[in-house]
Amino acid sequence: MTDIKQDEFSFDKVDEDLMGFFYAPAGYTDHTFKSSSGIKLGVRVWPAENVVQDAAPIAFWVHGGGFLGGHHFVPLPWLTPGFRKRGYHLVSLNYRLAPQAAFDHQLADCIESVEWCRKILPSILGEGKVDVDRYVLVGESAGGTLVTLMGLHLTSPPPRAIVDVYGLVDIWYYVNMPDRTPGPWKGEFTDEELERFISDRDLNNVLTDACCWNEQELFPQEELRKRWAADIKYDKRFRLQAEAHQWRSRRAFPGDVHKAFLHSERFPDKAELDKFITSMAPLKVLQQDKQRSYPPTAFLHGSADEPVPIQQSYDLAASLKERGVPVIERYEEGEPHVFDIKYTGPNIPGWESTIQPVLDFVDQHVGIKRQ
């Protein structure tokens, strides 16, 4: 057993000049569709600006949040100047959140959303305005996990590139993590209530958007509604989801992982469970199948990332390079999880060395030639 560390990332520590990140960029349209699960999923679309080619490509963004939290309303700050303002349609997706939905259900939602968007975006953006076959996937943290998994399954056509932003690419890391010794939980809900919640499997209770961390404590409801441009309510269900995410993240018990988003009780024995876990780890899948093709991939990670160690990116990048897949790696020394929210535009120090090379890599594989 190891002593627990408090999660160092909190929204109230973000510098004042970065608070603009927490506002949805203007110019979007919202869309929903009924997925095959029966649950409505949301898509937010920002049309491309400064289009280089008439039929612009698409950058799909998949949010993080430890599979229990996060939302699709506000993309990472560098995605608007990096993609939308450089001629990409920017599209953000949501998915069913744990614990009612398992990890593989979330993957299925993301795949279905991309497929739905490829069919419907020409009617939203205008015929001839979007090239639905030229798309890239960008995901951060849990979203990085999901987009690297999507790269294994979206093959007709495959994404032109994947941008993995500090994603967990080997879920075995969490499964094998030693138990910690948590301090007493102090929150609105008790340990017992939260334990019961992460075992809930009723899809009638599922959310598809939630707090990234502790926004409900930092902002009045109306303020967060304005920032997200979303009709949210701080009701008990919303607060429970936010607190469960913080509680599970701080405890980091392997048993919580099994309950919250693996839904391990579905499997008849350990062998079947292990097979499932491996199938949900892109690194393991690719290590086992040396002939499997995979899209060009960019990696962004900070060396001081505790929730997702940088070794995760090192290992997948090495595996891809061994099979000849184009790879670019941009790592920042001493930077923690979610370090990239400082990049609000090209004027920020470090953009040219960290963000711009990733954007150039994506342009190359999408086929955009800039003057």
Side-chain angles (χ1 to χ4, degrees):
M1 302 284 280
T2 57
D3 290 335
I4 193 167
K5 285 187 176 182
Q6 294 294 305
D7 192 311
E8 294 184 0
F9 179 70
S10 180
F11 279 59
D12 56 359
K13 296 179 184 177
V14 178
D15 294 339
E16 283 298 318
D17 61 344
L18 292 179
M19 291 302 286
F21 158 50
F22 303 113
Y23 288 91
Y28 64 86
T29 57
D30 280 332
H31 310 271
T32 60
F33 71 98
K34 189 174 182 179
S35 69
S36 57
S37 71
I39 301 298
K40 281 188 177 181
L41 297 177
V43 173
R44 185 164 277 189
V45 179
W46 288 266
E49 296 179 353
N50 307 312
V51 174
V52 178
Q53 297 163 328
D54 284 341
I58 310 162
F60 289 104
W61 176 63
V62 181
H63 71 80
F67 310 104
L68 271 162
H71 58 85
H72 78 300
F73 301 122
V74 186
L76 289 170
W78 58 272
L79 297 185
T80 296
F83 285 106
R84 186 189 180 198
K85 293 186 181 297
R86 296 175 69 254
Y88 289 76
H89 302 296
L90 179 58
V91 179
S92 62
L93 316 174
N94 67 9
Y95 48 88
R96 290 170 288 167
L97 297 176
Q100 291 78 20
F103 192 12
D104 49 318
H105 302 154
Q106 297 172 333
L107 173 61
D109 285 351
C110 292
I111 291 172
E112 190 171 357
S113 289
V114 168
E115 292 172 341
W116 182 83
C117 284
R118 291 186 61 245
K119 292 177 183 176
I120 203 71
L121 281 178
S123 66
I124 294 172
L125 296 166
E127 294 294 336
K129 298 296 185 183
V130 56
D131 186 343
V132 297
D133 289 342
R134 291 193 304 151
Y135 68 94
V136 301
L137 305 176
V138 186
E140 48 94 20
S141 196
T145 308
L146 289 165
V147 297
T148 51
L149 281 166
M150 292 162 73
L152 296 169
H153 297 280
L154 286 167
T155 58
S156 298
R160 296 293 183 93
I162 291 173
V163 183
D164 173 15
V165 187
Y166 39 82
L168 186 76
V169 296
D170 183 2
I171 196 69
W172 280 106
Y173 171 77
Y174 276 173
V175 174
N176 293 329
M177 184 180 289
D179 280 347
R180 296 175 172 185
T181 306
W185 179 253
K186 295 180 180 179
E188 177 182 355
F189 302 95
T190 65
D191 283 296
E192 291 75 17
E193 289 174 307
L194 294 165
E195 286 275 8
R196 284 196 301 273
F197 176 68
I198 66 168
S199 297
D200 182 9
R201 303 294 181 256
D202 186 350
L203 277 182
N204 291 317
N205 297 331
V206 75
L207 296 185
T208 53
D209 290 289
C211 289
C212 296
W213 192 244
N214 62 341
E215 299 98 307
Q216 85 284 1
E217 298 171 359
L218 300 172
F219 305 120
Q221 175 181 284
E222 291 307 310
E223 174 68 12
L224 198 60
R225 287 165 66 109
K226 181 171 67 173
R227 288 170 181 264
W228 290 3
D231 185 19
I232 58 167
K233 294 181 180 179
Y234 283 4
D235 56 19
K236 183 177 180 180
R237 177 67 190 83
F238 186 86
R239 301 193 309 272
L240 177 58
Q241 189 80 30
E243 192 164 312
H245 173 35
Q246 296 175 68
W247 173 82
R248 196 219 63 78
S249 298
R250 293 182 192 277
R251 288 179 15 136
F253 284 3
D256 293 346
V257 172
H258 283 285
K259 289 178 186 176
F261 51 85
L262 291 180
H263 293 194
S264 299
E265 73 277 0
R266 295 178 291 169
F267 300 94
D269 53 44
K270 186 177 184 300
E272 287 298 311
L273 172 60
D274 289 355
K275 182 179 178 182
F276 167 72
I277 295 172
T278 297
S279 75
M280 299 301 291
L283 176 63
K284 297 300 186 188
V285 172
L286 291 168
Q287 287 176 336
Q288 290 181 355
D289 185 355
K290 300 292 185 181
Q291 303 305 312
R292 191 159 186 166
S293 63
Y294 199 79
T297 303
F299 295 88
L300 282 175
H301 218 132
S303 68
D305 192 324
E306 290 187 2
V308 182
I310 196 171
Q311 192 66 43
Q312 294 272 320
S313 289
Y314 290 161
D315 290 347
L316 182 56
S319 180
L320 293 178
K321 286 187 285 188
E322 284 176 5
R323 66 186 63 218
V325 174
V327 166
I328 187 171
E329 299 168 85
R330 283 297 178 268
Y331 305 129
E332 289 205 4
E333 188 64 30
E335 290 293 328
H337 205 56
V338 202
F339 76 95
D340 56 318
I341 64 169
K342 65 188 177 185
Y343 290 120
T344 55
N347 59 318
I348 301 298
W351 178 281
E352 286 298 319
S353 58
T354 298
I355 303 298
Q356 192 61 51
V358 170
L359 301 176
D360 293 341
F361 176 86
V362 172
D363 278 354
Q364 175 189 347
H365 293 286
V366 168
I368 289 183
K369 296 181 180 179
R370 300 181 186 277
Q371 298 299 324

